[in-house]
Amino acid sequence: MKIATYNVNGINGRLPVLLRWLAEARPDVVALQELKAPDTKFPRLALADAGYEAIWHGQSRWNGVALLSRIGAPVETRRGLPGDPDPAQSRYLEAAIGGVLFGALYLPNGNPRPGPKFEYKLRWFDALAAHAATLVASGAPVVLLGDFNVMPTPRDVYKPERWGEDALFVPAVRDAFARLVAQGWTDAVRHLHPDATIYTFWEYFRNAYARDAGLRIDHLLLSPSIAPRLIAAGVDRAVRGWDCSSDHAPVWIALSA
């Protein structure tokens, strides 16, 4: 099973890029973030023509998450994160696909900090950790995947000294991610590539992509019961260089049967 996460940064404006990548990469399950579209504007028919069934949790202009599958219809189990301090924001969607439970998420950015956006990020992280603990305790095979808006360690950011005050890298956020992983989750990409320089996001300005001045903020976390099935992981970084592409690249893993 090939599983991917991709922050599309506007699903309708970047639909040709998404469809091209789906045709080339052929992932079985995909989590999308930053749809930036209400539910009525989700391109269901175009994705169906590409071979994918979908569920989505949209929001006009901001946020929004979706799960796509070409191995059977997603069976939705949860819409919205339990305990979300602002449930009007569309940031979490959960479904069973192919015998695996997928939690697709778009964690708040948190900037500027200090301030209410940063406090919301920390509260959202707390709610995610509480729910994630119940998923681990269930013993079910679970993949938590999406844009976490966290660089877990200095190796996950180009020139970390420039990011010391940013809400994606301050100690409180990195500690929250570490506590989440410590529940028993496996950071799939880093697990298979412990020493590699890996980025999933490059800003649009200052020629960041060409200079490889990136961040690793898109993650796939595996519960203990499914982690032994991990056999491959990577980033389709070339997609970031396509015309009209998102500032993120798709991140993927492969699981054995």
Side-chain angles (χ1 to χ4, degrees):
M1 180 186 289
K2 186 176 183 181
I3 301 162
T5 181
Y6 187 18
N7 181 323
V8 290
N9 191 17
I11 191 168
N12 288 305
R14 305 191 198 281
L15 186 58
V17 172
L18 174 60
L19 293 175
R20 176 184 169 187
W21 170 70
L22 290 173
E24 293 186 7
R26 300 299 291 163
D28 297 304
V29 178
V30 185
L32 302 177
Q33 304 87 44
E34 281 203 90
L35 305 179
K36 296 182 178 179
D39 285 341
T40 56
K41 297 297 184 180
F42 185 83
R44 178 184 62 83
L45 293 179
L47 291 167
D49 287 344
Y52 287 86
E53 299 182 82
I55 60 171
W56 58 94
H57 185 21
Q59 183 178 339
S60 181
R61 299 178 56 217
W62 309 104
N63 307 322
V65 287
L67 280 164
L68 317 181
S69 170
R70 68 181 187 98
I71 57 172
V75 179
E76 184 175 323
T77 57
R78 185 174 298 277
R79 177 171 295 247
L81 183 67
D84 189 332
D86 185 2
Q89 298 193 33
S90 300
R91 294 186 176 275
Y92 188 83
L93 185 62
E94 194 175 281
I97 306 170
V100 177
L101 189 65
F102 293 89
L105 63 94
Y106 176 47
L107 206 138
N109 177 285
N111 284 305
R113 61 164 294 275
K117 290 187 177 181
F118 185 66
E119 294 304 317
Y120 173 56
K121 179 173 190 167
L122 294 180
R123 292 197 303 272
W124 206 94
F125 232 137
D126 287 343
L128 175 63
H131 181 55
T134 68
L135 296 176
V136 169
S138 75
V142 185
V143 181
L144 282 179
L145 70 172
D147 180 353
F148 283 72
N149 270 316
V150 181
M151 296 91 81
T153 72
R155 73 162 64 92
D156 298 310
V157 50
Y158 176 81
K159 293 191 175 180
E161 66 275 9
R162 296 183 177 179
W163 292 82
E165 298 302 317
D166 193 274
L168 279 68
F169 196 58
V170 290
V173 170
R174 291 162 59 192
D175 289 348
F177 185 85
R179 290 194 300 271
L180 173 65
V181 172
Q183 294 176 351
W185 300 93
T186 294
D187 179 349
V189 173
R190 186 53 74 196
H191 180 73
L192 290 185
H193 306 285
D195 301 315
T197 297
I198 300 171
Y199 301 137
T200 67
F201 168 91
W202 298 260
E203 295 174 318
Y204 285 125
F205 48 90
R206 294 196 295 269
N207 206 27
Y209 177 67
R211 294 188 298 113
D212 200 24
L215 315 173
R216 188 176 78 96
I217 59 176
D218 304 273
H219 309 296
L220 297 98
L221 303 184
L222 308 181
S223 69
S225 61
I226 200 172
R229 294 172 55 187
L230 178 66
I231 55 176
V235 179
D236 288 344
R237 57 169 293 146
V239 176
R240 172 62 177 82
W242 294 355
D243 288 343
C244 300
S245 185
S246 170
D247 41 11
H248 295 249
V251 187
W252 60 269
I253 64 171
L255 303 178
S256 61

